């Protein structure tokens, strides 16, 4: 399956693939600190496990960025 | 050599002795006070001023309707505001 | 029309020369009112560049005082300002650059019960705080008041910015929905940030404010600009207004401003601490 992640083309062997799986595959350390957009729609955090990805989906990981504090 | 241009001049600015880029700043200030179609006369020194100012004015889509050498060697530039 | 005096023409000559700014754009800048939320790593360069640009009224909101650990990146604060209110330190530098600027300082916490009154006076808001409760508060208040703003965030070597024009472009909540759980946010002492990143991102935010005021160019609306300064990778992600956004969507669930709980780090409640 072909998925574009943050503009980079990636191939995955799995047939069924959820956002939760992709976050794990991409080794995102703290998924709570990332917002996920699939083909322009922001996915509700509670649906990461049950949202499956299709061939040629475009996924963006958008990181929460606050600041360095003091 | 001061060829009389048969056009009405709506505003005039003497930029003799004023180098780049302030001569263009003054030109733009004068143009900003005019209505579209009105004519501004600017007097510019020979050399860099008369080489540079018309180009910049054209780049902002105004029209150069005259460029005349004056007796003292300076240039009269006539600009119609876009 | 503003009649610029000779000194102003000299001071603003590089703006007036720009075809996309010109005399008219500089007049807009001199009449504009911009509020900077957070006088820290991001707010500091924003304040300096807006002052230099001649933005007529600059408001600064921050309830913090200058500490020596701020000086690595918060460039409007100098060694002699340690212990001063950040808003006063920033005002001192704004006026040192350009004495013609009117500076309003808000040495207070921005909260649900005061933010709308404060931002209402401004044409544009630059949000440069380090904490998510304030980021969401600024977003929601700006959406409610219809005031455009720039979001900025920095962490380690990374930065991100987006510009929100209420009613026209995706808002911060369209993308980030709600604050992350406080315990997931990298702790203050551990995360760190390369000082110059604050300048990179802050000047992007200042440029967005100047572009908004003058109408020059295209804003970072519906766009998240992010960069990683380790390799200087810049990326723009296209964003979209989300129909189910809780503040700007079709059936918004948020009708009143929310004071979210702040996370650890001993940050006092609802304090607008800057990055
Ligand atoms: Zn929204």
């Amino acid at each position: 399956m072909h998925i574009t992640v943050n503009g980079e083309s990636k191939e995955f062997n799995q047939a069924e693939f959820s956002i939760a799986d992709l976050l794990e595959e991409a080794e995102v350390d703290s998924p709570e600190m990332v917002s996920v957009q699939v083909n322009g729609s922001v996915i509700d955090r509670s649906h990461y496990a049950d949202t499956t990805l299709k061939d040629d989906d475009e996924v963006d990981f958008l990181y929460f960025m606050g600041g360095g504090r003091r | 050599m001061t060829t009389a241009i048969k056009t009405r001049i709506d505003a005039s600015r003497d930029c003799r002795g004023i180098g780049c880029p302030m001569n263009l700043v003054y030109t733009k200030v004068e143009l900003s006070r005019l209505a579209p179609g009105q004519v501004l006369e600017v007097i510019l020194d020979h050399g860099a001023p008369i080489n540079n100012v018309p180009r910049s004015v054209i780049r902002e889509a105004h029209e150069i309707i005259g460029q005349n050498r004056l007796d003292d060697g300076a240039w009269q530039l006539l600009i119609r505001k876009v | 029309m503003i009649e610029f005096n000779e000194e102003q023409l000299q001071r603003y000559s590089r703006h007036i020369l720009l075809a996309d700014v010109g005399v008219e754009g500089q007049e807009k800048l001199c009449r504009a009112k911009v509020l900077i939320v957070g006088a820290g790593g991001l707010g500091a360069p924003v304040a300096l560049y807006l002052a230099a640009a001649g933005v007529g009224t600059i408001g600064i909101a921050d309830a913090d005082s200058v500490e020596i650990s701020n000086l690595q990146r918060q460039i409007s604060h100098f060694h002699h300002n340690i212990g001063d209110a950040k808003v006063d330190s920033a005002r001192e530098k704004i006026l040192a650059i350009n004495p013609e600027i009117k500076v309003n300082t808000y040495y207070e916490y921005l909260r649900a019960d005061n933010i709308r009154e404060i931002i209402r006076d401004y044409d544009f808001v630059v949000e440069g705080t380090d904490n998510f409760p304030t980021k969401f508060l600024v977003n929601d208040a700006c959406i409610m008041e219809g005031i455009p703003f720039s979001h900025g965030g920095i962490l380690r070597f990374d930065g991100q910015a987006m510009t929100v024009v209420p009613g026209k472009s995706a808002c911060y909540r369209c993308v980030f929905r709600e604050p992350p759980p406080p315990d997931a946010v990298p702790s203050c002492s551990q995360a760190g940030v390369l000082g110059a990143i604050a300048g990179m991102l802050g000047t992007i935010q200042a440029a967005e404010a100047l572009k908004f005021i003058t109408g020059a160019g295209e804003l970072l609306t519906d766009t998240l600009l992010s960069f990683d300064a380790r390799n200087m990778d810049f990326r723009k992600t296209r964003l979209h207004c989300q129909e189910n956004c809780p503040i700007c969507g079709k059936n918004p669930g948020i009708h009143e401003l929310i004071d979210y709980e702040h996370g650890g780090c001993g940050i006092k409640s609802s304090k607008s601490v800057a990055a």
Side-chain angles (χ1 to χ4, degrees):
Chain A
M1 182 161 54
H2 169 255
I3 295 173
T4 307
V5 182
N6 284 5
E8 275 179 47
S9 205
K10 305 222 184 226
E11 290 296 332
F12 297 96
N13 295 326
Q14 297 88 328
E16 276 272 286
F17 210 44
S18 71
I19 291 175
D21 295 332
L22 181 63
L23 283 163
E24 208 177 300
E25 191 81 14
E27 294 176 352
V28 173
D29 331 322
S30 39
E32 307 83 15
M33 294 303 290
V34 65
S35 188
V36 180
Q37 175 173 264
V38 180
N39 304 327
S41 288
V42 174
I43 307 298
D44 212 274
R45 194 169 298 280
S46 58
H47 292 299
Y48 286 177
D50 55 44
T51 303
T52 50
L53 297 169
K54 308 181 304 297
D55 205 29
D56 291 333
D57 272 350
E58 290 187 19
V59 180
D60 292 299
F61 292 151
L62 307 167
Y63 291 88
F64 276 91
M65 223 170 270
R69 286 232 169 98
R70 5 177 143 201
Chain B
M1 270 223 294
T2 22
T3 333
I5 296 272
K6 285 191 205 77
T7 185
R8 200 184 67 165
I9 292 171
D10 298 289
S12 181
R13 179 85 188 218
D14 187 348
C15 287
R16 284 188 187 94
I18 296 168
C20 302
M22 284 310 290
N23 46 20
L24 180 58
V25 170
Y26 296 133
T27 301
K28 291 187 73 168
V29 168
E30 296 296 338
L31 283 168
S32 76
R33 294 185 178 127
L34 297 182
Q38 288 191 303
V39 174
L40 171 68
E41 174 196 57
V42 186
I43 310 299
L44 295 164
D45 284 335
H46 183 67
I50 192 60
N51 286 333
N52 294 333
V53 173
R55 254 185 292 173
S56 303
V57 165
I58 289 166
R59 204 178 308 134
E60 296 199 20
H62 303 294
E63 189 191 346
I64 303 292
I65 56 173
Q67 191 168 317
N68 312 291
R69 195 78 193 259
L70 303 178
D71 291 341
D72 66 351
W75 291 83
Q76 177 203 40
L77 184 69
L78 294 171
I79 306 163
R80 193 191 308 277
K81 179 169 171 167
V82 68
Chain C
M1 208 171 92
I2 299 173
E3 280 297 316
F4 289 117
N5 62 34
E6 181 57 29
E7 188 183 287
Q8 289 169 319
L9 290 178
Q10 302 256 2
R11 181 188 284 276
Y12 304 124
S13 58
R14 269 49 177 186
H15 275 165
I16 293 171
L17 290 168
L18 282 173
D20 289 341
V21 178
V23 180
E24 296 80 2
Q26 188 59 47
E27 284 176 1
K28 289 178 187 165
L29 290 170
C30 290
R31 274 196 294 263
K33 295 171 143 198
V34 177
L35 176 70
I36 302 167
V37 181
L42 304 177
V46 173
L48 301 185
Y49 273 103
L50 296 188
V55 169
T57 304
I58 300 175
I60 322 162
D62 198 307
D64 226 354
S65 298
V66 178
E67 295 175 19
I68 194 161
S69 62
N70 301 148
L71 304 185
Q72 166 255 16
R73 66 199 175 284
Q74 304 183 9
I75 49 154
S76 65
H77 312 315
F78 296 176
H79 191 86
H80 74 256
N81 294 118
I82 292 170
D84 295 348
K86 285 187 181 174
V87 291
D88 293 334
S89 164
R91 173 173 46 199
E92 173 193 314
K93 306 324 177 306
I94 288 172
L95 295 176
I97 291 174
N98 192 341
E100 290 179 351
I101 308 292
K102 177 170 188 271
V103 185
N104 301 327
T105 56
Y106 306 90
Y107 181 50
E108 58 189 304
Y109 311 130
L110 287 190
R111 297 175 314 262
D113 64 8
N114 67 0
I115 186 169
R116 289 182 70 168
E117 268 169 71
I118 292 173
I119 67 171
R120 207 168 278 163
D121 283 340
Y122 293 89
D123 305 313
F124 192 87
V125 172
V126 178
E127 183 280 309
T129 66
D130 72 328
N131 67 90
F132 295 107
T134 310
K135 287 186 184 300
F136 280 88
L137 183 69
V138 168
N139 179 74
D140 295 356
C142 284
I143 297 291
M144 288 176 178
E145 293 291 333
I147 296 168
F149 73 98
S150 162
H151 148 76
I154 49 171
L155 187 66
R156 302 189 182 96
F157 286 78
D158 298 311
Q160 71 176 205
M162 75 183 276
T163 299
V164 176
V165 179
K168 290 198 176 139
S169 71
C171 82
Y172 187 66
R173 244 184 225 283
C174 283
V175 186
F176 293 106
R177 216 43 64 91
E178 58 182 25
D183 55 4
V185 179
S187 98
C188 40
S189 52
Q190 284 166 12
V193 63
L194 188 73
I197 303 298
M200 288 174 67
L201 208 277
T203 50
I204 287 171
Q205 291 189 280
E208 286 291 285
L210 300 182
K211 283 162 56 190
F212 174 80
I213 295 161
T214 57
E218 279 179 42
L219 298 168
L220 285 173
T221 43
D222 290 321
T223 305
L224 185 72
L225 175 72
S226 40
F227 65 78
D228 178 349
R230 270 168 294 233
N231 43 20
M232 286 296 172
D233 270 345
F234 279 70
R235 185 173 130 75
K236 276 182 176 178
T237 307
R238 191 90 191 131
L239 305 173
H240 306 266
C241 285
Q242 301 291 315
E243 276 191 9
N244 61 353
C245 173
I247 183 90
C248 79
K250 282 218 166 117
N251 292 300
I254 297 173
H255 301 286
E256 276 173 26
L257 293 175
I258 307 161
D259 282 320
Y260 288 103
E261 276 299 306
H262 285 249
C265 298
I267 302 284
K268 290 143 224 152
S269 175
S270 293
K271 190 170 179 177
S272 94
V273 180

